[in-house]
Amino acid sequence: MNPKIVLRIISYLLLIVCAFMLTAVAVAISFNEMAEAKTFASVVGVTVFLAGGFLLWVRSSPHSNPSFKDGFLFVTGSWVIVALFGALPFYLSGAIPSFCDAYFETISGFTTTGASILTEIQSLPHSILYWRSLTHWLGGMGIVVLTVAILPLLGVGGLQLVKAEAPGPTVDKITPRITETAKYLWYIYLGMTVVETLMLMFGGMSFIDSLIHTFGTLATGGFSTKNGSVEHFNSAYIDWVITFFMVAAGMNFVLHFRLLTGQARSLLKNSELKAYLLIFAAATLTVAVILSLHEVYPAFKDSLRYAAFQVASILTTTGFVSADYETWPHVAQAILFLLMFIGGCSGSTGGGIKVVRLVTLFKQAVNEMKYLLHPKAIFPLRISGKVVPKNTVYAISGFFFLYIAIVLLVTFAVCLSGVDLLSSLTAALATVGNIGPGFGLVGPTKNYAHFIDPIKWLLSFAMLAGRLELYTVLVLFTPMFWKR
Amino acid sequence: MNPKIVLRIISYLLLIVCAFMLTAVAVAISFNEMAEAKTFASVVGVTVFLAGGFLLWVRSSPHSNPSFKDGFLFVTGSWVIVALFGALPFYLSGAIPSFCDAYFETISGFTTTGASILTEIQSLPHSILYWRSLTHWLGGMGIVVLTVAILPLLGVGGLQLVKAEAPGPTVDKITPRITETAKYLWYIYLGMTVVETLMLMFGGMSFIDSLIHTFGTLATGGFSTKNGSVEHFNSAYIDWVITFFMVAAGMNFVLHFRLLTGQARSLLKNSELKAYLLIFAAATLTVAVILSLHEVYPAFKDSLRYAAFQVASILTTTGFVSADYETWPHVAQAILFLLMFIGGCSGSTGGGIKVVRLVTLFKQAVNEMKYLLHPKAIFPLRISGKVVPKNTVYAISGFFFLYIAIVLLVTFAVCLSGVDLLSSLTAALATVGNIGPGFGLVGPTKNYAHFIDPIKWLLSFAMLAGRLELYTVLVLFTPMFWKR
């Protein structure tokens, strides 16, 4: 291991994030929030001084490539440190007086969880809310993918780093070079950002609200500028636009690339996409019919609108709220609860277990039954027409077990602080799965403010572990990692 | 497939169960419950007539061995039919006026779940309560193991049938012949039954109460003769005796055999046993400390007693209640909730996911992290010192996924009937895991009476699928099974 290399790359990363924080300075100035402008500028100044100074200092040491282990250390380390840096404006500006809270809010932002400790959002300065949601946007595509895209000097180590950030089953290479791939993905992301922002403005939202809600949508984050989340705007048009883009953000961005480059046919073969859209459609229809039968909303089109929005929000792990779903019939709540176990597609900005893993596990369970009947036959497991290697299925099984185990352990820990079982369980699901809201004390009309500090730190860890798909973070806790 | 062979073995099985039902006639007569005696006798008479007649009728057809597929059909079929037969006395005697309820209660008995629809237990005739708990005792060791033990004529097909009934990772052969093994296991079971009954009588329980609670303990069932379950007796001695035998019943019976034959050393090497006892001890201590800190009970020894009892009851999937744990602090409840995901050891009478599977999955998840660091190395997965074949790990992963998926689907279905999320979730866990009580509407002081009939049928199916470890039942729903 070489901590110097790791620190060097993190320094570059901090400089990149500084560049983005400068846009928050611009927002602050444009809204005449001079105190906030100064805070943002100071944080940028100090960071540039420290990170830049470090880079100058290590300039002369040889430029070796990061090793395999360095990759893990770098990825987890960079998220921890970037969140630390990102929390400073909240803390220093006084917007969030407790540092624990500020860190929770920032890691919740970067991991695109959208779990908030803020009880009064609307009265905060625009620039603070802008920065809060910009963390979503940066974290959504992956701050490491960002680094890889912008810093070609990482070259060789790039793929390894990206794999460490998202060790899912399909890190698809759309171009031979990972830096190229990362760039294309960011172009698509940027393009979608422009389109959604314009569409929301067309629906009557202000530019800054449109931008911030677009960040929350495309990153599957969920931070809003309003206390009542998207419900505040009370507009069917806005609900449908956000629903559409949430569903799009929960899809593998490689598929968007294929779609844009005229390879639409490959989408039809994609097992994950088919399962994802099927789940979305089936859950939406079922919830809509239930809402309609219980006459929760006056017309079926309203039921459909609220159902589609909330199903997309939970399934893609966004966490926007357009209706207080805890007042819905139990079975509609149960569907949302089940969706909390699913998540978006691999290669999307969504969190959770992810659809491709569940599809694999399902096919594997069915195969086991076939083996029971024909122990000597061979039943290959195919996803999108390709045979999945046994080792991948192995890794996915391990992931699923770890995921459930960690959710249950976090549930237990939250209960330790005196919280009831359902609130604890859904808080665990909502943080490890990067969703945001859950049920009970963390329900759609409540938030994470009331937890004691140790629980907030634990949930911050849970959000990070969930975002980095568990293994990347947990491997740091194995003795083997630290053995020479 | 050969339905005639399957029906023939089921007929034998019914005759065996009839022999046991005759003891219920004896109990009825001894308590002067003549109406019940007549009911039991009539059911026995009609069954002997039908099953015996069928056997005479097919007497002349050749005695071929059951095939692989016949095994699955026989195992699931025999449980369904034996429960149907076992439900008749409840229904015909008028003790349970609804047939759906009677079937639910019987399948809950045979699968050793202990979920009840009876709201008033104490006023029922002794013979009815005796039969209700005898189903536990018969189902605990497995009615198929019973058949195999008593019917040597099954010969070759025996192991296959036992494997279909308990397709867990370790069907250990303690003797070369499966019929011998099955017999030894039943001897141990019988011996423990005698000892526990005597010990409970020594604590002041009547003979019939002692016997019935012994059935409930050793089968990890949970049916009691009192409305307040074991809490009714309010005796530390009785609580500790039952706790001890619950823990013993949750252990692999092969280990009891080894212990009795002086092979105690092999127990120390058993990974599953170590994990099981560790979980029991750790959970008990933690709950006891929590109860003590919250001053729920006057002295620490009381906290320890109630903690040990309830932890053992949920962990081993027995479901006896000695305290209303829903009044305990949230975190103590959370521990019980976590235990609902574990279950007893393989080869025990307990249900649930089972400890050996979780140990395997945990080791597999740790191995995955090692592979992440050393992709080309080989890390064998050892349980009790032996390397577990990859295919077994595969099957266990599939099982774990199916288990969670089925629990969530049952949760959804129960919610459909208007029940809240936590009650539905724990009802699903408590039935698929053969536990009995859960939280909320199925909490320790409540039961399953209030569910609508379709949900009772569904939960009956869930109990059966859980008891037969999912695959055995689910394989019947694959098209491949019915293909020639």
Side-chain angles (χ1 to χ4, degrees):
Chain A
M1 239 167 325
N2 193 334
K4 209 184 261 178
I5 295 182
V6 173
L7 277 177
R8 192 208 295 256
I9 319 181
I10 291 180
S11 300
Y12 279 119
L13 178 57
L14 279 178
L15 291 181
I16 297 169
V17 180
C18 273
F20 282 96
M21 201 183 270
L22 283 178
T23 64
V25 178
V27 171
I29 292 171
S30 74
F31 281 98
N32 205 19
E33 297 163 354
M34 296 324 286
E36 282 72 28
K38 272 181 205 155
T39 309
F40 281 115
S42 323
V43 173
V44 170
V46 171
T47 311
V48 168
F49 180 78
L50 289 177
F54 177 78
L55 285 174
L56 282 174
W57 181 60
V58 295
R59 179 183 41 154
S60 51
S61 38
H63 254 256
S64 62
N65 273 313
S67 78
F68 201 64
K69 285 188 180 178
D70 292 338
F72 291 107
L73 201 62
F74 162 65
V75 170
T76 304
S78 63
W79 282 78
V80 170
I81 290 172
V82 167
L84 212 61
F85 157 79
L88 290 177
F90 297 125
Y91 183 61
L92 297 176
S93 70
I96 304 179
S98 142
F99 185 74
C100 171
D101 281 4
Y103 194 82
F104 181 94
E105 196 79 6
T106 315
I107 200 92
S108 170
F110 276 116
T111 59
T112 75
T113 306
S116 181
I117 52 78
L118 290 172
T119 45
E120 175 49 45
I121 299 168
Q122 279 160 240
S123 61
L124 287 175
H126 291 90
S127 54
I128 290 288
L129 293 179
Y130 168 80
W131 172 243
R132 176 169 173 258
S133 290
L134 188 60
T135 60
H136 270 343
W137 194 74
L138 293 173
M141 190 49 86
I143 52 179
V144 170
V145 172
L146 173 68
T147 319
V148 173
I150 298 190
L151 280 187
L153 59 124
L154 283 176
V156 185
L159 180 59
Q160 240 151 257
L161 295 182
V162 171
K163 275 202 132 176
E165 189 172 62
T170 47
V171 175
D172 221 344
K173 283 184 282 181
I174 44 179
T175 63
R177 294 188 53 213
I178 184 73
T179 43
E180 285 294 298
T181 305
K183 262 186 205 166
Y184 281 123
L185 295 183
W186 271 93
Y187 289 153
I188 293 168
Y189 196 47
L190 208 59
M192 288 168 79
T193 305
V194 172
V195 175
E196 190 188 340
T197 306
L198 292 175
M199 285 182 78
L200 288 179
M201 287 173 72
F202 185 74
M205 264 196 198
S206 71
F207 170 67
I208 191 80
D209 279 351
S210 302
L211 194 62
I212 287 177
H213 282 89
T214 297
F215 289 165
T217 311
L218 294 180
T220 68
F223 280 155
S224 172
T225 51
K226 305 298 175 191
N227 294 335
S229 192
V230 180
E231 197 177 2
H232 174 94
F233 299 98
N234 197 17
S235 148
Y237 171 80
I238 287 176
D239 277 10
W240 280 114
V241 168
I242 292 182
T243 302
F244 176 81
F245 280 98
M246 285 195 290
V247 173
M251 285 167 60
N252 192 331
F253 274 64
V254 170
L255 296 181
H256 290 310
F257 176 81
R258 296 248 166 83
L259 198 63
L260 290 172
T261 52
Q263 305 169 66
R265 199 175 296 166
S266 69
L267 270 68
L268 299 174
K269 280 195 222 146
N270 192 285
S271 306
E272 183 179 28
L273 182 67
K274 282 189 278 184
Y276 169 72
L277 294 177
L278 187 73
I279 293 167
F280 170 69
T284 298
L285 265 181
T286 316
V287 172
V289 167
I290 293 162
L291 293 179
S292 194
L293 289 177
H294 284 79
E295 297 178 349
V296 179
Y297 299 105
F300 184 74
K301 71 177 202 308
D302 297 318
S303 299
L304 197 65
R305 161 190 159 193
Y306 289 112
F309 187 95
Q310 219 52 62
V311 164
S313 176
I314 300 288
L315 176 63
T316 63
T317 75
T318 306
F320 276 139
V321 174
S322 78
D324 180 3
Y325 54 77
E326 285 201 300
T327 62
W328 288 0
H330 287 312
V331 62
Q333 293 184 38
I335 292 174
L336 296 180
F337 176 73
L338 294 193
L339 294 175
M340 296 182 95
F341 285 86
I342 300 178
C345 296
S346 61
S348 76
T349 61
I353 295 176
K354 298 214 164 78
V355 176
V356 71
R357 289 204 179 87
L358 295 170
V359 172
T360 307
L361 288 170
F362 178 76
K363 291 195 174 184
Q364 136 77 357
V366 170
N367 265 7
E368 281 306 317
M369 284 188 236
K370 292 184 185 169
Y371 282 118
L372 213 57
L373 295 174
H374 302 284
K376 281 167 191 167
I378 284 173
F379 302 101
L381 198 165
R382 282 174 216 276
I383 297 282
S384 309
K386 281 182 206 151
V387 174
V388 179
K390 282 226 163 191
N391 280 344
T392 306
V393 181
Y394 245 60
I396 292 176
S397 310
F399 178 87
F400 183 71
F401 171 75
L402 268 185
Y403 196 92
I404 299 290
I406 286 175
V407 164
L408 292 178
L409 288 177
V410 171
T411 303
F412 168 65
V414 177
C415 271
L416 257 180
S417 71
V419 175
D420 71 285
L421 196 51
L422 188 66
S423 302
S424 302
L425 175 62
T426 57
L429 278 169
T431 48
V432 177
N434 301 136
I435 301 169
F439 289 91
L441 291 174
V442 294
T445 60
K446 306 192 187 66
N447 67 21
Y448 289 73
H450 53 77
F451 286 118
I452 56 174
D453 279 7
I455 297 299
K456 282 177 186 160
W457 286 116
L458 174 81
L459 294 181
S460 300
F461 175 80
M463 289 188 269
L464 185 62
R467 176 62 181 83
L468 298 180
E469 313 230 312
L470 309 183
Y471 283 131
T472 307
V473 174
L474 296 180
V475 79
L476 302 181
F477 293 90
T478 58
M480 192 181 253
F481 185 86
W482 300 100
K483 233 183 265 168
R484 280 183 180 277
Chain B
M1 237 164 331
N2 192 334
K4 209 183 263 178
I5 295 182
V6 173
L7 276 177
R8 190 208 297 257
I9 319 181
I10 291 180
S11 300
Y12 279 120
L13 179 57
L14 279 178
L15 291 181
I16 298 170
V17 180
C18 272
F20 282 96
M21 201 184 268
L22 283 178
T23 65
V25 178
V27 171
I29 292 171
S30 73
F31 281 99
N32 204 20
E33 295 164 358
M34 297 324 286
E36 281 73 26
K38 273 182 206 155
T39 308
F40 281 116
S42 323
V43 173
V44 169
V46 170
T47 311
V48 168
F49 180 78
L50 289 177
F54 178 77
L55 285 174
L56 282 175
W57 181 59
V58 295
R59 182 182 40 153
S60 52
S61 39
H63 254 258
S64 61
N65 275 312
S67 77
F68 201 65
K69 284 187 179 177
D70 291 337
F72 290 108
L73 201 61
F74 163 65
V75 170
T76 304
S78 63
W79 283 77
V80 170
I81 290 172
V82 167
L84 213 61
F85 158 80
L88 289 178
F90 298 125
Y91 183 61
L92 296 177
S93 71
I96 304 178
S98 141
F99 186 73
C100 170
D101 282 3
Y103 195 82
F104 181 94
E105 196 80 6
T106 314
I107 199 93
S108 170
F110 276 116
T111 59
T112 77
T113 306
S116 182
I117 51 79
L118 291 172
T119 45
E120 174 51 45
I121 299 167
Q122 279 159 239
S123 60
L124 287 176
H126 291 90
S127 54
I128 289 288
L129 293 179
Y130 168 82
W131 173 245
R132 176 169 173 257
S133 288
L134 188 61
T135 60
H136 270 343
W137 195 75
L138 293 174
M141 189 49 87
I143 52 179
V144 169
V145 173
L146 173 67
T147 319
V148 173
I150 299 190
L151 280 187
L153 59 124
L154 283 176
V156 184
L159 180 61
Q160 241 152 260
L161 294 182
V162 173
K163 276 202 132 174
E165 189 173 62
T170 47
V171 175
D172 223 343
K173 282 184 282 181
I174 46 179
T175 63
R177 293 188 54 216
I178 184 75
T179 44
E180 286 293 298
T181 304
K183 262 186 205 164
Y184 281 123
L185 296 183
W186 271 92
Y187 290 154
I188 294 169
Y189 195 48
L190 209 58
M192 288 168 79
T193 305
V194 173
V195 175
E196 190 188 340
T197 306
L198 291 174
M199 286 182 77
L200 288 180
M201 286 172 74
F202 186 74
M205 262 196 202
S206 72
F207 170 67
I208 191 79
D209 278 352
S210 301
L211 194 63
I212 287 177
H213 283 89
T214 297
F215 289 164
T217 312
L218 293 181
T220 67
F223 279 155
S224 172
T225 52
K226 306 297 175 191
N227 293 337
S229 192
V230 180
E231 195 178 2
H232 174 94
F233 299 98
N234 196 16
S235 148
Y237 171 81
I238 286 175
D239 277 10
W240 281 115
V241 168
I242 292 181
T243 302
F244 176 81
F245 280 98
M246 284 194 291
V247 173
M251 285 166 59
N252 192 331
F253 275 63
V254 170
L255 297 181
H256 290 310
F257 177 81
R258 296 248 164 83
L259 197 64
L260 290 172
T261 52
Q263 306 169 65
R265 200 176 295 166
S266 71
L267 269 69
L268 299 174
K269 280 193 221 147
N270 192 285
S271 305
E272 183 180 28
L273 182 68
K274 283 189 279 185
Y276 169 71
L277 294 177
L278 186 73
I279 292 167
F280 170 68
T284 298
L285 266 180
T286 315
V287 172
V289 167
I290 292 162
L291 293 179
S292 195
L293 289 176
H294 284 79
E295 298 178 347
V296 179
Y297 299 106
F300 183 74
K301 71 177 201 312
D302 296 319
S303 298
L304 197 64
R305 162 190 158 194
Y306 289 112
F309 187 95
Q310 220 51 63
V311 165
S313 176
I314 301 287
L315 176 62
T316 64
T317 74
T318 306
F320 275 141
V321 173
S322 78
D324 181 4
Y325 54 77
E326 284 200 301
T327 62
W328 289 359
H330 287 311
V331 62
Q333 294 184 38
I335 292 175
L336 296 180
F337 177 72
L338 293 194
L339 294 176
M340 295 181 95
F341 286 87
I342 300 178
C345 297
S346 61
S348 76
T349 62
I353 296 176
K354 299 215 163 76
V355 177
V356 70
R357 288 206 180 86
L358 294 171
V359 171
T360 308
L361 288 170
F362 178 76
K363 290 195 173 182
Q364 138 77 357
V366 170
N367 264 8
E368 280 307 317
M369 284 188 237
K370 292 183 185 169
Y371 283 117
L372 213 55
L373 295 174
H374 301 284
K376 281 168 193 168
I378 284 172
F379 302 101
L381 198 165
R382 280 175 217 275
I383 297 282
S384 309
K386 280 180 206 151
V387 174
V388 180
K390 282 227 162 191
N391 279 345
T392 307
V393 182
Y394 245 59
I396 293 176
S397 310
F399 178 86
F400 182 71
F401 171 73
L402 268 186
Y403 196 92
I404 299 290
I406 285 175
V407 163
L408 293 178
L409 287 178
V410 172
T411 303
F412 167 66
V414 177
C415 271
L416 256 179
S417 71
V419 175
D420 70 286
L421 197 50
L422 188 65
S423 303
S424 304
L425 175 62
T426 57
L429 279 169
T431 48
V432 178
N434 299 137
I435 301 169
F439 289 90
L441 291 175
V442 294
T445 61
K446 305 192 188 67
N447 67 22
Y448 290 73
H450 53 78
F451 286 116
I452 55 173
D453 279 6
I455 296 299
K456 283 176 186 158
W457 286 115
L458 175 81
L459 294 181
S460 299
F461 175 80
M463 291 189 269
L464 184 63
R467 175 63 180 81
L468 298 180
E469 314 230 313
L470 308 184
Y471 284 130
T472 306
V473 174
L474 296 181
V475 79
L476 302 181
F477 294 90
T478 58
M480 193 180 254
F481 185 85
W482 301 99
K483 232 183 269 169
R484 282 184 178 272

